[in-house]
Amino acid sequence: FPLFMRTGGSLSMPFLADQWTALLKNPLSGLILRLFFSLLLLFSVLRSIDFVVLNGIIAAVHPLWFVLSVLCLLLYDIFASFRWKLILNAFACDASFLVLLRYHMLSVSVGALLPTTVGGDFARAYLAASKGRGGLRAALTVVLDRLTGLFSLLFLAALGLILEGYKLFGHLFAYSFAFLMFSLVIISFVCLSSAVLRRLFPLIWHFFVIFRLVSSSSPSQKVHPISYSFAFWPFAFAQLVGVLAHFLVVLEHWFLVISLSSSVDLGHLFWIVPAVWLFTLVPVGVNGIGTRELGMAFFLGAIGETREIAVALGFLVTISNFLTAIIGGVFYVIPLDGEIRPLSSKS
């Protein structure tokens, strides 16, 4: 986000292009360092594992359940692309769904080799800003799309605490924390979809100027999507699509749990999956490898599941992620005509 703000709204985006080029010039050292941290985290999890038991668990995985989990992940990518399209519509931009799906699948593919699970968003935002006439406004919708995903995860986590979390944390903590997350989602939605954020924008802009993230002479109209026309209902519908998309991720984990013959309830996965996702946001490792297994071992262990099941589940999720990344790379190679464009010249 600071990289986008520092471009000063230029549609050619020379600064961002320079950063992207610098990243591509020497990716090997960064990749080796991230692999080292991933292996270090994996070692911390695997040192107390019975590998004979782990091998038996993975060998007993039924291929059908694994294929269903990969299909759920691909369906998530389709829903996530549609969510992004709705957010673009809310801010007076549009593009072909297949073009947006192509950009999204590239971000999945690139994200497989970048730290955290959101590294591919950089590539998606760069494409959104540089391909077509949507400009930086289109790129910043990627940030809003990611925030929408975060709100969806918080909503599902609150639901999971109500369904099953109280058995572990107690009624008072589970219900209080669920109420807090529901409130955060509602307040954030109101801020993003109303004039509240417009009134806060001058303060935010001065913050960026103070820390030299933007030039004081840069016109805010060019760099902030909230200053453009806004349609409420597409943005509201995007929130619903986001919840359905992340429910598919929970369903993916549930199919893998079934394939491992584990007794973890679906209700527990509603809060465990978002919690593990927060673990993978730590900017170390590659595509959440290591942090994902560590999170699985911690949270599944808290509900009484064995460490071997937790690690096996983390491994299967990582494999399914890499499979979708390969599919994403292949899909991006397919040439498609289209661009992100403003809906009208007035916008």
Side-chain angles (χ1 to χ4, degrees):
F1 183 74
L3 290 178
F4 294 135
M5 300 300 288
R6 290 176 67 179
T7 62
S10 171
L11 296 184
S12 61
M13 302 179 66
F15 177 79
L16 186 57
D18 291 343
Q19 296 295 320
W20 183 257
T21 304
L23 177 67
L24 295 178
K25 280 183 179 179
N26 188 23
L28 185 59
S29 58
L31 180 60
I32 292 175
L33 185 62
R34 292 192 291 271
L35 284 173
F36 170 76
F37 279 113
S38 287
L39 292 175
L40 187 64
L41 290 171
L42 281 176
F43 173 75
S44 67
V45 177
L46 296 177
R47 61 181 181 177
S48 58
I49 289 292
D50 187 332
F51 284 96
V52 176
V53 175
L54 179 62
N55 182 62
I57 290 173
I58 295 178
V61 171
H62 198 288
L64 175 62
W65 294 113
F66 181 76
V67 171
L68 287 176
S69 71
V70 174
L71 289 177
C72 282
L73 202 54
L74 290 174
L75 283 174
Y76 162 79
D77 293 323
I78 293 173
F79 272 75
S81 300
F82 183 57
R83 179 186 65 196
W84 185 26
K85 180 176 175 63
L86 289 170
I87 294 175
L88 281 166
N89 292 161
F91 290 99
C93 287
D94 196 17
S96 164
F97 172 73
L98 288 178
V99 170
L100 296 180
L101 179 61
R102 183 169 177 255
Y103 290 171
H104 175 84
M105 294 306 291
L106 175 70
S107 74
V108 172
S109 183
V110 172
L113 296 177
L114 291 178
T116 81
T117 56
V118 297
D121 286 340
F122 181 88
R124 182 160 60 113
Y126 176 77
L127 288 171
S130 59
K131 305 293 185 181
R133 292 175 286 119
L136 205 54
R137 171 176 30 154
L140 289 175
T141 60
V142 176
V143 178
L144 295 175
D145 181 57
R146 177 55 64 174
L147 288 175
T148 298
L150 175 61
F151 300 155
S152 302
L153 285 169
L154 289 176
F155 178 85
L156 292 176
L159 187 61
L161 287 174
I162 293 174
L163 293 175
E164 294 287 347
Y166 69 91
K167 298 178 181 178
L168 177 64
F169 302 107
H171 288 82
L172 180 61
F173 177 84
Y175 293 159
S176 299
F177 204 67
F179 176 77
L180 178 63
M181 285 189 285
F182 277 133
S183 302
L184 179 61
V185 169
I186 294 172
I187 293 172
S188 301
F189 173 73
V190 170
C191 289
L192 288 175
S193 60
S194 70
V196 175
L197 196 58
R198 297 173 190 266
R199 294 169 183 171
L200 290 177
F201 175 64
L203 295 176
I204 298 173
W205 183 257
H206 288 302
F207 171 82
F208 284 123
V209 171
I210 290 172
F211 287 93
R212 298 182 180 181
L213 299 178
V214 296
S215 170
S216 58
S217 60
S218 300
S220 61
Q221 179 75 9
K222 287 186 177 182
V223 299
H224 202 280
I226 306 299
S227 61
Y228 293 85
S229 58
F230 174 79
F232 173 80
W233 289 112
F235 189 73
F237 190 37
Q239 312 309 307
L240 176 61
V241 173
V243 172
L244 293 175
H246 282 93
F247 173 74
L248 288 169
V249 177
V250 174
L251 203 60
E252 171 216 0
H253 284 72
W254 191 49
F255 285 145
L256 293 176
V257 164
I258 294 175
S259 71
L260 294 171
S261 301
S262 174
S263 58
V264 177
D265 294 327
L266 179 61
H268 278 304
L269 292 178
F270 274 109
W271 67 266
I272 289 177
V273 171
V276 171
W277 182 80
L278 290 176
F279 261 64
T280 61
L281 290 181
V282 179
V284 295
V286 177
N287 195 28
I289 298 175
T291 53
R292 181 179 297 108
E293 286 73 19
L294 185 64
M296 289 289 185
F298 179 79
F299 291 110
L300 289 180
I303 62 174
E305 192 54 86
T306 65
R307 205 173 182 85
E308 288 77 14
I309 289 289
V311 171
L313 179 58
F315 282 165
L316 292 179
V317 171
T318 299
I319 292 171
S320 63
N321 286 345
F322 273 109
L323 285 177
T324 54
I326 294 172
I327 295 172
V330 172
F331 186 77
Y332 183 75
V333 173
I334 301 174
L336 291 173
D337 294 329
E339 61 179 18
I340 297 177
R341 61 194 181 278
L343 288 175
S344 68
S345 58
K346 294 181 181 180
S347 300

